[in-house]
């Protein structure tokens, strides 16, 4: 079944997400590291002093995970590739910034207060807002639960699931883990180095028929409609042979031949722009029962979906 998850432009969405994460992280660390007065003016001194209960370098983090809204996700750092991978699905196209922020937030944890009575059953840990884990190179793994909001202090209850100790912590920690797996899906983008004025030709192979355009006006018109293939919906991310067969990938194709701008620096340190012949290919599959066209773009294993009407509009340019 197809998964529609992005109504925002896939080009703007990562930027918006990164900015939101940066703001949340700054808020959390400020609240976590400085003495503050509660907004209501009722916070006790013990609710503003910070005590570190975990303080390690983020470079030593090997894994991070969380359970939120009934869904469990965990991620492992791959030192060879320098990327986070979704456990059990390492080919899943994962947005990296949110996971890095989770690791930063959990590597060094400061709490405001430790409750002497521990878990009294009144702090929301029977059904916590989230459970989080973090592991380090030295083999240590720590597990925590984020509980209810304390409406007086504005902080949340926070339980060490290994020791049983209950603390209060900055409420801004929770939003770092309020993601479904699909929220973390990273959509590919169409190439930015294709310029309409430097397209030499476009070849469309569809329904056993091959058409080619070289006329400048037609290639410029094509370039505008080409943006309809910007990924916003996908059918499968595995890249498996079974998926390729299921969706009939290879039934058609679109090949763009163009001259790509490349900066060349000579031995004297002078830089010049030259252009080299390049190609970019999109492979199409069979139309689905919902009227969608499966397709794969260069450099991605994901099978994306577009409306059949979008492909018809692109095909119109070749007539």
């Amino acid at each position: 079944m197809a998964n529609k998850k992005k109504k925002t432009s896939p080009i703007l969405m990562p930027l918006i997400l990164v900015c939101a994460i940066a703001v949340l992280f700054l808020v959390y660390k400020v609240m976590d590291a400085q003495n503050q007065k509660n907004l209501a003016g009722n916070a006790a001194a013990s609710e503003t002093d910070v005590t570190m209960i975990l303080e390690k370098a983020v470079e030593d983090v090997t894994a991070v995970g969380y359970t939120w809204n009934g869904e469990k996700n965990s991620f492992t750092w791959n030192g060879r590739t320098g990327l986070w991978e979704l456990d059990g699905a390492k080919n899943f196209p994962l947005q990296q910034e949110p996971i890095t922020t989770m690791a930063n937030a959990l590597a060094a944890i400061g709490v405001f207060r430790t409750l002497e009575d521990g878990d009294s059953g009144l702090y929301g840990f029977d059904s916590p807002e989230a459970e989080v884990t973090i592991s380090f190179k030295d083999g240590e793994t720590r597990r925590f639960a984020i509980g209810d909001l304390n409406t007086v202090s504005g902080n949340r209850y926070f339980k060490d699931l290994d020791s049983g100790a209950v603390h209060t912590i900055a409420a801004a920690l929770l939003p770092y883990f309020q993601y479904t797996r699909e929220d973390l899906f990273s959509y590919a983008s169409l190439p930015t180095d294709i310029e309409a004025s430097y397209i030499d030709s476009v070849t469309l192979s569809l329904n056993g028929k091959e058409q080619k355009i070289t006329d400048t006006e037609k290639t410029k018109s094509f370039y505008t409609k080409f943006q309809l293939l910007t990924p916003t919906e996908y059918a499968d991310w595995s890249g498996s042979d079974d998926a390729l067969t299921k969706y009939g990938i290879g039934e058609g194709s679109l090949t763009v031949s163009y001259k790509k701008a490349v900066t060349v620096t000579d031995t004297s340190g002078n830089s010049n722009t030259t252009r080299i012949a390049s190609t970019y290919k999109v492979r199409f599959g069979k139309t689905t029962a919902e009227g969608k066209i499966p397709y794969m773009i260069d450099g991605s294993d994901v099978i994306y979906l577009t409306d059949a009407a979008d492909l018809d509009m692109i095909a119109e340019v070749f007539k």
Side-chain angles (χ1 to χ4, degrees):
M1 182 178 291
N3 295 275
K4 287 187 177 179
K5 294 295 173 185
K6 301 283 180 177
K7 293 183 180 180
T8 306
S9 163
I11 295 174
L12 293 177
M13 188 59 188
L15 180 60
I16 294 171
L17 181 59
V18 170
C19 291
I21 291 169
V23 171
L24 284 171
F25 189 64
L26 178 61
V27 170
Y28 169 62
K29 284 302 180 184
V30 167
M31 293 177 71
D32 194 33
Q34 298 179 2
N35 294 341
Q36 298 184 51
K37 292 295 182 182
N38 178 263
L39 292 177
N42 296 322
S46 61
E47 196 74 3
T48 61
D49 297 332
V50 173
T51 300
M52 301 304 296
I53 62 170
L54 179 60
E55 196 168 10
K56 291 194 174 186
V58 70
E59 293 79 10
D60 292 332
V61 178
T62 58
V64 63
Y66 67 94
T67 300
W68 174 74
N69 201 27
E71 182 180 287
K72 182 177 181 179
N73 291 299
S74 58
F75 314 92
T76 299
W77 176 253
N78 186 326
R80 182 178 57 83
T81 62
L83 295 171
W84 292 101
E85 295 176 351
L86 177 65
D87 291 345
K90 66 178 183 179
N91 291 332
F92 185 86
L94 184 68
Q95 292 188 45
Q96 297 293 303
E97 293 87 355
I99 316 306
T100 298
T101 303
M102 293 176 197
N104 273 281
L106 293 179
I109 299 175
V111 299
F112 293 114
R113 185 161 58 100
T114 299
L115 279 61
E116 293 182 1
D117 62 346
D119 185 0
S120 66
L122 300 176
Y123 305 126
F125 297 122
D126 289 340
S127 181
E129 290 290 335
E131 292 187 5
V132 298
T133 63
I134 187 165
S135 299
F136 301 92
K137 290 179 180 178
D138 62 7
E140 181 181 17
T141 294
R142 299 289 295 272
R143 303 180 306 123
F144 304 95
I146 302 174
D148 290 345
L149 181 71
N150 182 316
T151 56
V152 174
S153 69
N155 299 321
R156 281 194 177 274
Y157 296 107
F158 187 70
K159 182 177 180 179
D160 186 325
L161 293 176
D162 297 306
S163 70
V166 176
H167 316 275
T168 59
I169 198 168
L173 178 66
L174 177 61
Y176 299 146
F177 305 96
Q178 292 179 312
Y179 294 99
T180 66
R181 186 172 304 176
E182 295 303 327
D183 290 335
L184 297 172
F185 186 93
S186 179
Y187 281 80
S189 300
L190 294 179
T192 57
D193 59 10
I194 297 179
E195 300 173 62
S197 300
Y198 290 93
I199 296 177
D200 295 324
S201 66
V202 185
T203 303
L204 177 65
S205 177
L206 205 61
N207 301 322
K209 181 180 180 181
E210 184 172 289
Q211 298 170 284
K212 184 176 182 178
I213 55 174
T214 57
D215 178 78
T216 301
E217 291 304 314
K218 284 194 172 185
T219 55
K220 287 183 177 180
S221 178
F222 158 79
Y223 180 78
T224 300
K225 293 180 172 57
F226 180 54
Q227 307 308 312
L228 293 169
L229 295 180
T230 299
T232 59
E233 180 183 357
Y234 72 93
D236 188 278
W237 51 263
S238 67
S240 67
D241 291 340
D242 287 344
L244 298 182
T245 300
K246 176 181 177 180
Y247 290 99
I249 298 298
E251 290 286 311
S253 65
L254 180 70
T255 304
V256 184
S257 298
Y258 66 105
K259 289 185 172 62
K260 176 171 64 175
V262 176
T263 300
V264 178
T265 303
D266 60 27
T267 55
S268 300
N270 299 314
S271 297
N272 295 289
T273 299
T274 187
R275 291 188 177 269
I276 60 173
S278 302
T279 59
Y280 186 82
K281 191 169 186 176
V282 179
R283 292 183 293 156
F284 297 108
K286 299 176 182 177
T287 305
T288 68
E290 296 78 20
K292 300 287 186 177
I293 302 291
Y295 69 102
M296 296 182 73
I297 61 179
D298 270 354
S300 174
D301 290 331
V302 180
I303 297 176
Y304 291 106
L305 294 168
T306 191
D307 291 333
D310 293 340
L311 185 54
D312 289 341
M313 291 180 66
I314 292 173
E316 282 289 327
V317 180
F318 292 82
K319 295 181 179 179

